[in-house]
Amino acid sequence: MTPTRPINHVCIWEDESMSWSMWGNAAADDGRKLSRSEMASQIVAIGRSQAVIEFAIDGTIIHANANFLKAVAYTLDEIKGKHHSMFVEPAYRQSAEYKAFWAKLGKGEFDTAQYKRLGKGGREVWLQASYNPLLDRSGKVSGVIKFATDITADKTRSSDFEGQIAAIHKAQAVIEFNLDGTIITANDNFLKTLGYSLREIEGKHHSIFVDSAFQQRPEYKLFWDKLGRGEFDAGQYLRLGKGGREVWIQASYNPIMDASGRPFKVVKFATDITPMRMAVEQIGEAISAAKDNDLTQRIPMTGKTGELETLCGGVNELLDRIAAVMGEIKSTSREVASAAAEISSSTTDLSQRTEEQAASLEETSSSMEEIAATVKKNAENAGHANELTRGARELADRSGEVVGQAVSAMARIEDSSRKISDIISVIDEIARQTNLLALNAAVEAARAGEAGRGFAVVASEVRSLAQRSSQAAKDIKDLITNSSGQVRDGVELVNRAGSSLGEILNSIKQVADIVADIALASNEQAGGVEQINKALTQMDEMTQRNSAMVEENAATARTLEQQAADMDERIGKFRLDKAGTAKPTLVLSRQKLPTATKKPVARGARQMQASLATAVARDDWREF
């Protein structure tokens, strides 16, 4: 309640219910005099809804109702008789303004406002109040009565809102529009961003910030229709500042509602993102140039600060590093291409030599197979010869035994011949004696005459028989003598044959031993040749595999050479120098390297070639 004139009555506090009686000439707003009961009812109603405190003319506290005591958290005994200054800050208490405040009330002038007061413990209390001088019947000021409402919570909330709004105004560009887009006001940030003064834009339409083409587009009308319906709009907007300068803002258009929930104006909060937008465009241009193989583009750093400076500097550093890497890759690709060409040439030459070696080994292996077959055949023949020699040795042994037996038999024949000769000598002697006896008988027969004629015949026959026997004995003796000579010759020959046969036997034994050694050596030689043949076969397989591997490696090297050349050609498209021209690109010969004549290779040969390719990859193929 805010009185329009001083209250010309005296208030008397009756009890703790905060009702009081009034005397005086109080009148209603319509000029009608109020009765005592009406005035009392009004005073009681005021006491129930408001905080009320009464002061003496010097500011001493006379009384306060429960609402006031609750607002300042004091009891009546703690404040009664004390000065009003206990509710204000020390600095204000000593100020001339505070003295003028009480002087004003002492002159009968009321005062109404929002007041900051201190409650118990120094707690801040905000009151919406009026200080009303009390006049006695003579019109003099006899005291002051204060009617107040505790607005601390509202004040705190309002201060929070005001603080937030102030912070927004410090950080952002703010402009207010009517619902039709007419500019009401704008803060300094907005005016600085667009380059206008407030007088230049106040009362004009928002369309001064957009180009003429956009003003005619349907979406611009829809934009303001949307805001007029109370719907906000936010995004990035291109606006025109003073002189047509392009300005990019990150903004929100916020319809403000009245107490009935109807929009009555639009407040726009904006942030100037022109530097960021320009940086984004510059970054996009640099990236687009990089996509087109131009690594010379850099983002200008003039005017860029904070995170924007860090971002653009980072992009420039990234481009620098990419350019450096691409330069290194270009140099490396040339070296790789050159090395690949050398490897390809060397590998092809090695492939040719390996295939020639494989062919030689294959021929050697074939020859060794024939030699192995021959040696094996020789070993078999030596075995047969050894067996035959053993048979000849056994036969020689048996022949020696036969010769010995023949020598013994010849010796026995010789003995028998001598005995026969002796017997023949006896027979010859007997024949001689018989002849003598026959001669004597013939002499006696002749003496006997006729009587002895027959005896003479017998004697003649006996003499003839003796002569024949003697002749036969002589012939036999001659024959035996000749036979004995022949037997002796035969014995001598047999002995000589036995001696020769013994020598032959010894020779056969030696030959048998030599043949046995030859057979053993032939078997060992056959085994060795077979092992050599196997080794040669393995070497042949390995060489064939080496050849296949070298050919594969040569093909890989040629592919690597081609890929390195392609890489160098692609990297050569990048512009790495400030002049905007590509650096010289290494041009590799596209001449097809000689390819060795391929021969059929076995699976083992291909494996060996794979192993050789691994060795070449390890750069130790020269040791091979």
Side-chain angles (χ1 to χ4, degrees):
M1 176 180 179
T2 304
T4 58
R5 59 185 181 275
I7 299 177
N8 55 354
H9 62 263
V10 178
C11 294
I12 300 176
W13 300 85
E14 295 182 342
D15 53 29
E16 294 300 321
S17 66
M18 300 303 173
S19 62
W20 55 81
S21 299
M22 305 178 68
W23 292 269
N25 297 320
D29 290 338
D30 57 0
R32 180 177 58 85
K33 280 192 79 170
L34 297 175
S35 66
R36 170 177 279 194
S37 62
E38 287 176 332
M39 288 189 292
S41 297
Q42 288 183 11
I43 294 301
V44 169
I46 292 172
R48 287 174 180 171
S49 61
Q50 289 193 312
V52 182
I53 185 172
E54 187 178 352
F55 303 94
I57 190 62
D58 61 357
T60 303
I61 299 169
I62 300 173
H63 200 83
N65 72 352
N67 287 339
F68 186 88
L69 295 173
K70 180 180 179 182
V72 295
Y74 283 109
T75 63
L76 183 60
D77 292 338
E78 290 175 318
I79 65 172
K80 191 173 183 180
K82 295 183 179 180
H83 195 271
H84 170 272
S85 61
M86 67 178 292
F87 299 128
V88 300
E89 295 174 333
Y92 180 65
R93 187 185 308 157
Q94 304 298 326
S95 67
E97 182 182 357
Y98 186 61
K99 293 177 181 178
F101 170 77
W102 280 103
K104 176 182 177 181
L105 294 174
K107 291 187 291 186
E109 300 176 10
F110 77 96
D111 195 86
T112 181
Q114 292 181 355
Y115 303 94
K116 177 183 177 181
R117 296 295 180 248
L118 300 180
K120 190 173 183 179
R123 178 174 62 86
E124 288 186 0
V125 179
W126 282 90
L127 300 174
Q128 178 71 51
S130 64
Y131 287 82
N132 302 279
L134 299 175
L135 305 178
D136 59 13
R137 293 184 183 274
S138 62
K140 294 182 179 180
V141 177
S142 60
V144 176
I145 189 169
K146 172 182 177 181
F147 301 101
T149 301
D150 186 357
I151 60 170
T152 304
D154 293 338
K155 188 69 175 179
T156 301
R157 195 161 42 249
S158 176
S159 297
D160 181 47
F161 292 155
E162 290 174 0
Q164 291 185 33
I165 292 173
I168 290 172
H169 277 271
K170 289 179 181 179
Q172 290 191 306
V174 182
I175 185 171
E176 296 183 13
F177 303 93
N178 291 317
L179 293 181
D180 62 357
T182 304
I183 300 169
I184 300 173
T185 187
N187 70 354
D188 291 339
N189 286 338
F190 185 89
L191 297 173
K192 181 180 179 181
T193 299
L194 276 297
Y196 287 105
S197 65
L198 181 60
R199 190 171 63 179
E200 289 176 313
I201 63 173
E202 191 174 15
K204 295 184 179 179
H205 194 268
H206 171 271
S207 59
I208 67 172
F209 302 130
V210 298
D211 60 35
S212 56
F214 185 71
Q215 294 175 19
Q216 306 303 320
R217 291 168 64 176
E219 50 262 39
Y220 186 63
K221 181 179 183 303
L222 294 175
F223 170 78
W224 283 104
D225 290 344
K226 175 183 177 181
L227 296 175
R229 294 193 301 269
E231 301 175 14
F232 84 101
D233 193 86
Q236 293 183 358
Y237 306 91
L238 174 61
R239 296 294 181 250
L240 298 179
K242 191 173 182 178
R245 178 173 57 91
E246 289 188 354
V247 178
W248 281 94
I249 57 173
Q250 179 77 47
S252 63
Y253 290 80
N254 306 276
I256 306 300
M257 309 299 178
D258 60 14
S260 300
R262 292 187 298 268
F264 69 96
K265 70 176 180 178
V266 175
V267 178
K268 170 185 173 181
F269 302 101
T271 301
D272 184 4
I273 60 170
T274 304
M276 182 175 293
R277 187 78 182 197
M278 290 178 62
V280 169
E281 291 180 358
Q282 291 168 346
I283 291 172
E285 291 173 357
I287 293 175
S288 178
K291 288 181 179 179
D292 293 334
N293 302 329
D294 182 4
L295 297 178
T296 62
Q297 294 285 346
R298 295 296 181 271
I299 301 168
M301 298 302 296
T302 305
K304 294 179 175 61
T305 59
E307 294 181 354
L308 198 58
E309 181 183 15
T310 302
L311 174 62
C312 295
V315 173
N316 284 343
E317 184 178 358
L318 177 62
L319 291 172
D320 290 339
R321 291 187 178 182
I322 291 175
V325 169
M326 294 304 294
E328 292 176 1
I329 292 175
K330 175 177 286 189
S331 176
T332 303
S333 68
R334 294 173 181 172
E335 295 175 1
V336 169
S338 178
E342 293 179 3
I343 291 172
S344 179
S345 177
S346 300
T347 306
T348 302
D349 184 54
L350 177 61
S351 176
Q352 292 175 339
R353 294 199 306 269
T354 304
E355 289 194 0
E356 292 172 359
Q357 183 181 7
S360 298
L361 280 174
E362 189 173 358
E363 294 175 359
T364 303
S365 178
S366 177
S367 299
M368 286 305 299
E369 286 180 0
E370 295 177 1
I371 293 172
T374 302
V375 171
K376 187 175 181 182
K377 186 65 176 178
N378 291 340
E380 293 176 356
N381 293 335
H384 292 313
N386 190 29
E387 293 177 0
L388 293 175
T389 303
R390 282 197 298 270
R393 183 175 180 177
E394 293 174 359
L395 182 59
D397 290 337
R398 290 195 300 271
S399 297
E401 293 176 358
V402 171
V403 169
Q405 292 175 1
V407 170
S408 298
M410 293 301 290
R412 288 194 299 273
I413 292 172
E414 187 178 10
D415 289 341
S416 300
S417 179
R418 281 196 301 268
K419 290 177 181 179
I420 293 171
S421 181
D422 291 341
I423 294 171
I424 294 299
S425 295
V426 173
I427 294 173
D428 184 55
E429 184 62 30
I430 292 171
R432 188 177 66 78
Q433 290 296 330
T434 304
N435 188 38
L436 286 177
L437 288 175
L439 182 58
N440 289 329
V443 170
E444 288 300 324
R447 284 174 181 175
E450 245 354 278
R453 192 185 290 256
F455 186 73
V457 174
V458 171
S460 179
E461 291 296 329
V462 169
R463 183 179 179 187
S464 178
L465 179 61
Q467 289 177 347
R468 288 199 304 275
S469 295
S470 176
Q471 185 64 40
K474 184 179 179 182
D475 293 337
I476 291 171
K477 186 176 180 180
D478 292 338
L479 181 61
I480 289 173
T481 300
N482 293 332
S483 297
S484 296
Q486 292 176 355
V487 167
R488 282 194 301 272
D489 293 339
V491 170
E492 184 179 357
L493 292 172
V494 168
N495 287 332
R496 288 171 63 187
S499 177
S500 298
L501 189 60
E503 293 176 359
I504 292 171
L505 181 60
N506 290 332
S507 298
I508 289 173
K509 288 181 179 179
Q510 292 177 0
V511 170
D513 292 338
I514 292 171
V515 170
D517 292 339
I518 291 173
L520 180 61
S522 296
N523 288 330
E524 293 177 354
Q525 186 179 15
V529 170
E530 185 177 358
Q531 291 179 355
I532 291 172
N533 190 41
K534 288 181 179 178
L536 283 173
T537 301
Q538 291 178 353
M539 287 180 64
D540 180 60
E541 291 179 355
M542 293 294 289
T543 304
Q544 294 286 347
R545 292 192 335 214
N546 287 349
S547 178
M549 287 170 52
V550 169
E551 286 184 6
E552 293 176 2
N553 188 66
T556 302
R558 287 192 292 272
T559 302
L560 177 61
E561 179 187 7
Q562 182 62 42
Q563 291 176 346
D566 292 343
M567 180 186 296
D568 185 74
E569 183 178 353
R570 292 175 183 175
I571 294 175
K573 296 178 181 178
F574 285 94
R575 295 168 57 195
L576 304 178
D577 58 346
K578 295 297 183 181
T581 58
K583 292 184 179 179
T585 302
L586 177 66
V587 179
L588 296 175
S589 174
R590 292 293 189 273
Q591 218 172 4
K592 187 174 181 182
L593 293 172
T595 304
T597 304
K598 297 190 66 175
K599 296 181 180 180
V601 292
R603 182 171 57 87
R606 287 193 296 270
Q607 293 174 351
M608 186 168 185
Q609 287 175 334
S611 302
L612 183 59
T614 304
V616 171
R618 293 198 307 267
D619 200 23
D620 57 3
W621 60 272
R622 292 180 179 85
E623 298 180 1
F624 177 80

